[in-house]
Amino acid sequence: MNSDGGRYHDNARCESMWVRMKSELFYGRLDPERLTVEELKTLVWRYFISYWNRGRICSANGGLPPLVKRQRYFAALPAAV
């Protein structure tokens, strides 16, 4: 990443995450304008805790969900010592 700022790709990962969340969670499924702020907070929190951090397929992890990658990493630690 560029520490100088002002580059279009500085926020690319974050913007990609938000676009993906909105397309999977809201577009064609829910109308966010009809939900309260508390309902939106709960939906976003649950999305990230239950799906984004645990279940989504991640190409950077060899097609594994983050939870499985983490479990394999910690299972391999005793063997590496």
Side-chain angles (χ1 to χ4, degrees):
M1 293 302 223
N2 181 15
S3 61
D4 295 337
R7 307 292 169 113
Y8 65 90
H9 60 275
D10 284 348
N11 292 330
R13 289 183 181 181
C14 186
E15 293 296 329
S16 174
M17 182 254 332
W18 282 111
V19 167
R20 189 172 198 175
M21 182 208 65
K22 288 191 289 187
S23 67
E24 292 176 352
L25 190 59
F26 295 117
Y27 299 147
R29 298 181 69 198
L30 298 170
D31 183 10
E33 293 180 7
R34 292 184 173 206
L35 300 172
T36 66
V37 172
E38 289 303 317
E39 290 172 330
L40 284 171
K41 285 180 182 179
T42 302
L43 280 172
V44 171
W45 175 259
R46 287 182 179 172
Y47 176 82
F48 282 110
I49 294 301
S50 66
Y51 176 69
W52 190 264
N53 288 336
R54 296 182 183 191
R56 74 182 161 84
I57 301 300
C58 184
S59 60
N61 289 341
L64 297 172
L67 182 64
V68 173
K69 185 70 172 183
R70 240 178 272 125
Q71 288 171 341
R72 288 185 181 180
Y73 171 77
F74 287 117
L77 279 180
V81 175

